[in-house]
Structure formats: C-alpha cells, structure tokens
Amino acid sequence: KYPILDINTPYIKTDNVRDFGDGENCEFETVFVLKDFQAPEYSFLYKNDNRILGPPAVMHCASKGEPLPFSSRPLYSMTMLNLSLCFTGFRKKDEVVTLVNLVHHMGGIIRKDFDSTKVTHLIARSTHGEKYRLAVCMGTPILTPEWIHKAWEHRDDINFHAGNEEFRTVFKVPPFQDCVLSFLGFSEEERTFHSYSSEMLTPGYTSAVGDERCTHLVVEENSIKELPFTPSKRLYVVKQEWFWGSIQMDARAGETMYSYEKPESPAMKKAVSLLSLKTPNSGRKRRRLRETLAQLTKETEISPFPPRKRPSAEHSLSMGSLLDISNTPDTCKSSGEHKRRRSSCSSTPALPKQSARWQVSKELYQTESNYVDILATVLQLFKYPLDKEGQVGGPILAQEELKTIFGSIPDIYEVHMRIKADLEELVMNWSEERSVGDIILKYSGELVKAYPPFVNFFEMSKETIVRCERQKPRFHAFLKINQAKPECGRQTLAELLIRPVQRLPSVALLLNDIKKHTSDDNPDKVTLEKAIESLKEVMTHINEDKRKTEGQKQIFDVVYEVDGCPANLLSSHRSLVHRVETIALGDKPCDRGEHVTLFLFNDCLEIARKRHKVITTFRSPLGQTRPPAHLKHIALMPLSQIRRVLDIQDTEECQNAFALVVRPPTEQENLLFSFQLTAEDTLKSAWLKTLCRQVANTICRADAEDLIQSTDPDSVQVSTKDMDSTLSRASRAIKKTSKKVTRAFSFTKTPKRVLQRAFLANGTPDDKSPGLDGDHMGRTSSSSTLAVIPELIVELPTFGHFRTAGTGCDFSTGLPFSRTKLAPTLE
C-alpha cells in the first residue's frame, strides 16, 4: 500500500522485531515502522523504549523532504500535527487515556490546563465548567470526542488533517449537551422552535415543566408573572433570550446574565379623570374633554426637539413653548408684549395661532428624525454585528448574503443624517421666509444614487432573509434576540427594511402639504415644486413592477365606491391595508349614528359615510355603466395627524368602541373621532394594532403599540347605548331634515345641483342665450357659495314654474337678478 520512496536511508524488512528490538546499535539509529499499533510487536517495542513510527508519518516526511521526527512517543501519522488539545467534563479515566494516546499517535499535543494562547481545541463531554466558559469567550472550537475517533479512521491518508474546518464542524458540541430543557409560557406553535435543528436539540433534551430531570426552565418573561412551583437550587430559571443566545453563539451561554426574576407588581397608573355626563354646564364638559385628550396625547408627541441655548427666557422660546401647539417662533417679538400676555393670562396664556406651514415643517423634521433612528437601529443591531470579524462560532452570514440583505442602507443613512441636521437647524431658527425645498434639492443627487439600488432589490433582500433564517439556525437565533429588543418595537428585520421603500413617497406628501400652506408670494413655493419633482425623479428610477401590489389595485374600487373621493388618493406608492364598517359615536367627523366606512391605507385614512340617497347609475358616452356610489366622502386624513388610538373598554353602555385623537395642522386643539365596530368578523384588538402599525410606519416610529391606550368610555364621553332604538333613529331623521331645511333657506349656499339640472333640462344646442355661455356655466357649477363672488349675475330664459327634487324655484321673470333673489320657495 505504501510504495518505497527513495529516501536515501537503509532499511530492513523483517517479520520478527525481537531480533532487533532488544538491544542498541552503536552504528545506526534504529526506527521501527509498524502498520498496526495494536499488534504484540508494538507492545514489545514500546516497553523497550524504541522509536516507533507509522507508515503515514514516514511517507509525509519523504514527500516533504524532511527528516524523520524525533519523538519519545510512538507516532503513526501527522493527522493532528500542530494541534494542541485540552479535555473537560470526562468522568471515566480509561476513556481519557485512550483519547490521549490517539492524539499522540496523530502528532497532537495534550495540555492539562486551558491556555487560550496555546490550546487550539477543547474536547468536552459537558457544557459545565471553567474551561468550557473560557473556550466560549475566546472562540476556541469545542468538539466532541468523536472528532478524535473519526480522525483516527483517516490516519492512513497523508493528505488529511483533522483541523480542516469542514470536517471539524460536524463534531461541534451542541449548546445544550447534558442539559434537559423545559419551556414555560409558550404556545404550542412557538414550541416548534425547540427542535427546529437536530444539531441543537436531539431527542431527550426537552421535558415537561416540573420534570425532576430538568436542568433549565426557559420562561417567556412577557407572559409569565408567577412560576407555578418553587424551583430547586440546581434548576436554572432563565429568560428565552438565553436559549436564542446559546444557539447564536453555537455554545451554551452563561445563565447568570439571563436569570429570570419575578417581575415586581406594576405600579398603579394614574387614572384618567372621569367626566360626568350629568354635568349641566356643557362648556365645562367640553373643556374637561379637551384636557383629557391633551393628557392622553401628552406622551405621544413624535419626538422632542433637541435643546438649544437661548440668551434670555423673555426674548426667546423655551423648549416647552416650542412644542406648544399654540405657539410660533415669531411669537413674543417684544418683551413688553410677552410680559403683558403673562400678566393678563397667568394661568392659561393665550398665544397667537401657530402657522400651519411651520406645523407641517416640524412634522417633516420629526418624521425624518424618527426615520434616521430606525436606520441606525438596522445598522447597529443587525448589519454591524453580522459584519463584525471574529464572531464567536464564525461568521453567521456570508458577505454576499449581507450585501444582498442590507444593500445601500449605509448610504441612505448617511444622506438622511445630513438632511435631518439641516431640517433641525431650519425648524429651530424658523421664519416664514426660510426655504424647506432647498434642503431636499440640495441632496436630490445623493438620493438618486442611494435609493434605487436598495428599493429595486428589496424583494430579493426579503427572500434572502427568509432563506437564511430557515437554513441557518444561528441567524434565526440572532434575529430572535435582536428583534425582541425595544429599539425594534416588536418588528422583524424585514419590516424595518421596508421603511426606505416608504420614506420618499411620505416626504413628497409632506412637501405637498407644506406647499399648500405656503403663500404664492413666498419664494419657497417654486422651490417646493422643484423639490417634489426631484423626488419624483428619484422614484422614476425605481422599478415599477416592485411597487405594484394587489392593495394598490383596490384603490380604484374605493374611488368608484366613494362619491366625491379626492383624486389625489390615487398614487402608485399607496396601497389599501384594511377596511372596517363602523357607526359614528360623536359629532365629528360626522353626525352620531351615521354608518361610516374607514379605508385604511399605508399613509392615510379615507373616511366615508353611507349615502342617505344613492345616486342613479352613471352611464358613460360609450354605453358603459358604473355601479352607483353607496358612500359619500367625508375626509381624507394623513395618518400622521393621529396622535393617539384609544381602545375604549367594554361596559354595559359601551360595546366594541374605539376612538382616534386627531390634531390637524390648522387646528388649535385635539379632535376626538369615536366609532363603534359593526362587523362581527372584525376583531377590535387586531384592527387597532393594524392601524397603529401603519401610523407608526408613517411617522417613522418603531413602538407602534405605544400609540394604543385603553380608557373607560366615561372619560371621553362615549356611549353606544340606544344607537339602534326607534327614538334614536327618529332623532337622527329630524336632524337631517333640519339640515335640509336650513340649507334650503340659506342665502350663502348655491343650489348648485338645481341650477345644473335646470340648464341641462331646458338648454338645447339651438338655445344660444348670453346667459348660458360656457363662462357662466363654468363659474356656476364650480362655485360652492355665492358669497365668494360678490356680484355674480345669472341670466335665465323664461322657464315658467320649474320643479326638481321636491323643491320649487320660481324663475318665471326671466330677468337678470342678483344672488339676493335666488331664495327658493318651498311647496
């Protein structure tokens, strides 16, 4: 099997070693080469202190041109050459002796004490002990004894080395070796992760809670407040992070830092002040409701501005006043005015109205700050640790996988850090002449470079995360640990990575809002238009196919279903998330008892009520019909205006209700929109979580569930009692009729539909009256009130007595008349 090489050394082949092994030769140094280290010849030569080598050792030296090694111990091969091993956890001395001999036969070295600078491998039968802990901390490979036995099987292969990483990895000590785990507080579905990797959890490593064999009790600390039994002193009671940390490190983590401690009884939170519904003074009730809403939203301000030094408290704004909704940086121009204001209203100072332009600009800065924080979380919790050299257990992911998952996130983070700094300076030193658009234009070139590479390959990034999590247990454990941290707000890595996909459309919407509140003579008006166009240019570089989803196609159905739905609802970056059927419980955004449909999109909320009278089916000139619109548009509200979502507790007089605390930029105080869910298949808790998640995404916050607050119905004056009673329906009908009558006698409202139908019914192509020219028709149909056009004159032909929709209009004179003569007559 071993061909004789020209080693320029004389040798003798014999079948009887006793003829040579019982004496010394003064002329030559005798080395015995044996094929079988278990034969009687080996024992004879070993007892007589002869040099013994195996054929692989000789062949290795011959191939390398090296002299035969001088060793006092028998050396069969070089399989473990330059390896230094240490043992721990063995209880049988005979087993250790056998392993030590095999290591020596393969050229390895044994060390009694663990020296991190010299020991290359730790052979462990147990995951306990100081040697094991040191090896874990130093990243020393920890292997089972089977590694040595398997290497001995390869002893005749002169090209094989036991230190080969691919060969060695198979024999890693499982993190939970000689441990018996029990899991407390997890659902059946969650327990599937106990055995998702046979390399980690082999049969017999788990047991039922309370089993005497159990060594570790893993507790889901968020659901378990009290242990069902008193644990013994030898039982480790640890948090679930210990479990995932051990898998991530591929070694058993220390229990001390993950020890489970019984949580203290939560302190009683300060109850929201109850508002009595029997208070006779309605003004006082409204004031107390405003105070309640202010208290509820106090903790949900998106993010405070960083403090800055100020020369004088009397000549500049404090941090509290800067965040005050009723204050602006232009306020308090003179100290005298400020002092007079404080002296006249010492308890509740009345400050000038804050500009809507400043409000939306502040919102842009706040969302930008939150967005930068989320990008920092992605980098610091996920990318940097995964990219770090010298990871315990080796790299969790390959460099190609890291590049696919995170792409250009670092570049996006850098450019938005600078945008945030510029917006911060703008808001802190605000004046109406300052330009918001210039900041976006300044970085448009960098945005074009940074965003498309990430957004276009976002689907590939998500697929890589799913694949690696499924195939690599250490990556799965890494995600479990980090996604549970507060910075992630209970979101997965994939959910955090979708934020760059959503950010630019969100910025464009805010810029449009700022432009809406910018006067025409302000130079920033034109600059904002350019900035919006620059963002559109960035988004055109993004592959259209990546942005089309089923939810986006459903927007067209909403537009057709809701009469008067704003055209700007249609956007390639907007998608429908959820739809719920409700009943309004307050007087905003519509009357109490109205059936309201809420369409939740990823960045806004469309509020529509059920029509009192459905419009007839529309027929296009081509003969195509469209189903009648059953809903009437009320409001399209950006999700950024929602400050708090109230989960109203169920009582006998209030069932399945919730409320939104809203603050539009033009309002001076919070508004309360309260609703009752009507669909039986709609779970309130799931709906509120979905709503808060979209709000958090819009304002770039991770802590979505912190937006939800449970409150009792009395504190916000909400009740669902007698919503469907006969008296309630009659009351709503009277209220609607009252509104119709009021509108009919109103001199400030144009009977627009009446006039339009009159024109269409009586006008013909041959009728070319000056009063029916295109200019008059356009002005009449587009005006909602005659008060807007002080001297509007309408000329009508002689119609006689015209009747429409139950309302008669006397246009019999046929003479020009002013708006004061448009009072209709009821029949």
Side-chain angles (χ1 to χ4, degrees):
K1 182 176 181 179
Y2 298 98
I4 301 299
L5 298 180
D6 183 10
I7 57 177
N8 297 322
T9 302
Y11 63 90
I12 298 174
K13 184 176 181 181
T14 180
D15 293 331
N16 187 5
V17 297
R18 296 179 185 273
D19 296 338
F20 302 92
D22 57 355
E24 295 183 359
N25 192 313
C26 298
E27 186 177 356
F28 297 101
E29 181 182 354
T30 304
V31 177
F32 293 88
V33 181
L34 296 181
K35 178 71 171 65
D36 186 4
F37 274 27
Q38 302 295 325
E41 291 81 7
Y42 170 82
S43 299
F44 173 79
L45 294 173
Y46 181 71
K47 289 178 181 179
N48 287 278
D49 294 329
N50 289 287
R51 289 182 64 187
I52 305 174
L53 295 177
V58 177
M59 299 301 296
H60 174 85
C61 294
S63 64
K64 299 286 185 179
E66 300 173 350
L68 295 176
F70 183 86
S71 174
S72 60
R73 298 187 181 95
L75 178 64
Y76 187 86
S77 68
M78 302 296 186
T79 304
M80 287 192 172
L81 184 65
N82 299 325
L83 299 186
S84 179
L85 279 61
C86 186
F87 291 82
T88 185
F90 290 84
R91 297 184 178 182
K92 297 179 180 180
K93 184 177 180 180
D94 294 344
E95 181 184 12
V96 176
V97 171
T98 301
L99 293 172
V100 168
N101 288 335
L102 290 179
V103 172
H104 285 156
H105 292 344
M106 292 184 285
I109 301 173
I110 300 297
R111 295 191 179 277
K112 182 179 180 180
D113 299 322
F114 186 87
D115 187 341
S116 59
T117 61
K118 297 179 181 179
V119 175
T120 60
H121 298 78
L122 179 68
I123 310 302
R125 274 292 188 197
S126 170
T127 55
H128 299 276
E130 183 180 357
K131 291 181 180 179
Y132 182 87
R133 296 281 176 240
L134 289 173
V136 171
C137 294
M138 302 307 299
T140 303
I142 306 173
L143 307 176
T144 64
E146 284 69 25
W147 174 61
I148 297 176
H149 290 292
K150 199 67 176 179
W152 179 249
E153 295 178 7
H154 291 270
R155 62 188 181 277
D156 292 323
D157 186 355
I158 63 174
N159 297 316
F160 174 80
H161 193 270
N164 178 274
E165 184 175 358
E166 184 177 353
F167 170 76
R168 183 191 68 196
T169 303
V170 181
F171 302 98
K172 283 185 176 181
V173 173
F176 308 120
Q177 181 167 293
D178 70 355
C179 297
V180 179
L181 311 182
S182 295
F183 296 85
L184 180 64
F186 300 92
S187 65
E188 289 296 328
E189 183 179 357
E190 290 172 327
R191 290 179 186 176
T192 57
F193 64 56
H194 297 169
S195 55
Y196 72 89
S197 174
S198 60
E199 290 81 8
M200 306 301 174
L201 294 173
T202 55
Y205 279 1
T206 59
S207 66
V209 175
D211 193 320
E212 294 181 355
R213 299 178 298 119
C214 179
T215 61
H216 292 76
L217 178 62
V218 183
V219 179
E220 210 293 312
E221 61 273 17
N222 295 320
S223 60
I224 297 299
K225 305 303 179 184
E226 188 81 26
L227 294 179
F229 60 91
T230 302
S232 63
K233 293 183 178 180
R234 68 177 186 84
L235 178 65
Y236 291 106
V237 182
V238 293
K239 302 176 183 177
Q240 61 173 328
E241 190 177 353
W242 171 83
F243 177 81
W244 295 117
S246 298
I247 296 178
Q248 178 190 329
M249 295 189 302
D250 210 4
R252 176 180 160 190
E255 290 83 4
T256 304
M257 64 184 299
Y258 300 106
S259 179
Y260 171 81
E261 297 178 359
K262 178 181 176 181
E264 297 180 359
S265 300
M268 295 297 292
K269 297 182 179 180
K270 187 178 180 180
V272 180
S273 59
L274 299 179
L275 299 179
S276 174
L277 296 179
K278 299 180 180 179
T279 306
N281 192 329
S282 60
R284 189 194 310 169
K285 289 174 58 177
R286 287 193 296 269
R287 183 170 63 253
R288 295 181 65 183
L289 178 58
R290 288 197 300 268
E291 293 173 355
T292 301
L293 297 182
Q295 181 66 26
L296 290 172
T297 58
K298 186 175 182 181
E299 299 177 357
T300 59
E301 289 297 331
I302 301 175
S303 67
F305 290 113
R308 63 181 180 125
K309 295 181 179 180
R310 50 200 176 101
S312 170
E314 294 184 354
H315 291 81
S316 61
L317 295 173
S318 66
M319 189 53 54
S321 64
L322 182 61
L323 292 177
D324 193 339
I325 188 65
S326 61
N327 199 6
T328 66
D330 295 330
T331 311
C332 306
K333 294 184 178 180
S334 66
S335 60
E337 292 177 353
H338 183 65
K339 291 178 180 178
R340 285 194 301 272
R341 190 157 44 248
R342 289 197 302 173
S343 62
S344 60
C345 301
S346 57
S347 58
T348 55
L351 298 174
K353 182 181 178 181
Q354 192 175 38
S355 71
R357 173 176 158 84
W358 187 83
Q359 272 288 85
V360 183
S361 300
K362 184 185 73 171
E363 182 180 338
L364 176 61
Y365 163 73
Q366 291 171 331
T367 57
E368 184 69 16
S369 178
N370 293 336
Y371 176 59
V372 169
D373 289 344
I374 288 176
L375 293 179
T377 297
V378 170
L379 294 175
Q380 294 170 7
L381 284 188
F382 297 96
K383 185 181 186 305
Y384 295 157
L386 290 171
D387 207 16
K388 183 180 179 181
E389 295 182 1
Q391 299 176 39
V392 177
I396 296 177
L397 294 180
Q399 285 296 320
E400 295 78 10
E401 293 167 334
L402 286 175
K403 187 175 181 181
T404 302
I405 291 174
F406 296 101
S408 58
I409 287 290
D411 299 330
I412 296 174
Y413 174 71
E414 290 298 328
V415 64
H416 278 278
M417 278 286 290
R418 295 194 290 273
I419 293 176
K420 173 191 170 184
D422 288 357
L423 287 174
E424 180 180 317
E425 191 278 332
L426 173 83
V427 176
M428 295 300 295
N429 301 282
W430 176 262
S431 70
E432 292 295 325
E433 291 73 26
R434 296 292 298 273
S435 176
V436 181
D438 280 338
I439 296 177
I440 305 301
L441 288 175
K442 178 181 177 181
Y443 297 101
S444 60
E446 297 179 56
L447 294 174
V448 170
K449 295 178 181 179
Y451 269 91
F454 178 81
V455 177
N456 285 340
F457 295 96
F458 175 67
E459 292 299 325
M460 185 182 298
S461 173
K462 288 199 303 182
E463 293 170 1
T464 304
I465 293 174
V466 173
R467 175 176 54 81
C468 290
E469 189 175 6
R470 183 176 61 251
Q471 298 177 355
K472 301 187 177 186
R474 292 180 63 206
F475 180 61
H476 177 78
F478 174 83
L479 293 181
K480 280 287 185 180
I481 293 172
N482 290 282
Q483 289 172 173
K485 293 181 178 178
E487 298 94 312
C488 293
R490 300 180 183 178
Q491 294 183 89
T492 64
L493 175 59
E495 290 172 335
L496 292 173
L497 287 176
I498 202 175
R499 297 305 181 85
V501 180
Q502 302 170 334
R503 181 55 185 164
L504 292 186
S506 177
V507 172
L509 289 175
L510 287 172
L511 292 181
N512 266 314
D513 207 2
I514 296 174
K515 187 182 76 170
K516 184 192 307 181
H517 298 293
T518 302
S519 60
D520 294 337
D521 59 350
N522 192 324
D524 197 30
K525 187 93 169 184
V526 177
T527 309
L528 285 168
E529 292 177 354
K530 294 180 180 179
I532 295 170
E533 288 300 319
S534 70
L535 290 181
K536 290 181 179 179
E537 180 183 354
V538 176
M539 290 183 280
T540 56
H541 287 77
I542 297 174
N543 194 334
E544 285 288 337
D545 293 338
K546 302 298 181 183
R547 297 180 295 172
K548 291 181 179 179
T549 63
E550 187 63 28
Q552 292 171 344
K553 297 176 183 178
Q554 295 173 352
I555 300 180
F556 290 95
D557 297 333
V558 176
V559 173
Y560 290 137
E561 188 177 359
V562 180
D563 180 36
C565 186
N568 60 2
L569 179 67
L570 294 172
S571 172
S572 59
H573 301 285
R574 182 171 290 132
S575 59
L576 180 64
V577 178
H578 201 57
R579 166 182 177 161
V580 293
E581 303 296 334
T582 68
I583 295 178
L585 300 179
D587 56 355
K588 292 182 182 300
C590 58
D591 295 334
R592 174 180 169 84
E594 294 273 14
H595 287 265
V596 177
T597 302
L598 303 179
F599 297 94
L600 175 62
F601 296 90
N602 58 306
D603 61 345
C604 61
L605 184 69
E606 166 64 20
I607 305 175
R609 65 167 174 82
K610 184 178 180 180
R611 293 193 65 91
H612 302 148
K613 189 173 184 180
V614 179
I615 304 175
T616 56
T617 302
F618 168 79
R619 179 175 294 274
S620 71
L622 299 178
Q624 299 173 341
T625 60
R626 180 197 304 173
H630 293 275
L631 300 173
K632 177 69 175 178
H633 167 75
I634 296 177
L636 179 61
M637 181 176 64
L639 295 182
S640 58
Q641 295 181 7
I642 299 177
R643 300 307 190 199
R644 175 75 79 176
V645 176
L646 302 183
D647 182 2
I648 300 177
Q649 302 164 2
D650 287 347
T651 63
E652 293 183 359
E653 297 187 353
C654 189
Q655 297 287 328
N656 218 20
F658 70 96
L660 307 178
V661 181
V662 179
R663 182 187 290 170
T666 54
E667 295 290 335
Q668 290 297 293
E669 57 187 30
N670 297 316
L671 305 179
L672 183 69
F673 295 171
S674 53
F675 306 93
Q676 179 188 30
L677 293 172
T678 58
E680 295 182 357
D681 58 346
T682 302
L683 185 63
K684 183 171 71 168
S685 59
W687 154 246
L688 295 183
K689 287 182 180 180
T690 302
L691 173 61
C692 288
R693 170 54 53 207
Q694 299 306 316
V695 174
N697 290 348
T698 302
I699 63 178
C700 293
R701 282 184 61 171
D703 50 345
E705 294 192 7
D706 288 349
L707 294 172
I708 303 179
Q709 178 164 332
S710 178
T711 185
D712 62 283
D714 290 340
S715 65
V716 288
Q717 303 176 16
V718 171
S719 174
T720 61
K721 187 178 181 181
D722 299 330
M723 287 297 297
D724 294 325
S725 65
T726 304
L727 180 62
S728 178
R729 289 195 296 268
S731 175
R732 292 198 295 270
I734 293 173
K735 193 172 183 180
K736 293 173 185 176
T737 304
S738 176
K739 285 188 175 181
K740 291 180 180 180
V741 173
T742 303
R743 179 178 176 85
F745 284 102
S746 174
F747 291 101
T748 61
K749 294 289 184 180
T750 306
K752 180 172 58 176
R753 187 167 296 167
V754 174
L755 292 179
Q756 290 176 346
R757 290 182 180 178
F759 291 144
L760 294 175
N762 293 274
T764 63
D766 298 330
D767 295 331
K768 297 183 180 180
S769 171
L772 294 176
D773 60 10
D775 181 62
H776 282 79
M777 283 292 292
R779 288 192 298 166
T780 304
S781 61
S782 63
S783 301
S784 60
T785 63
L786 290 177
V788 178
I789 309 176
E791 297 182 357
L792 176 64
I793 305 298
V794 181
E795 293 186 8
L796 299 175
T798 302
F799 289 152
H801 196 77
F802 179 71
R803 182 178 300 193
T804 175
T807 302
C809 297
D810 189 0
F811 298 139
S812 58
T813 61
L815 299 176
F817 54 91
S818 66
R819 58 190 176 97
T820 58
K821 297 183 179 180
L822 285 176
T825 58
L826 293 180
E827 293 185 351

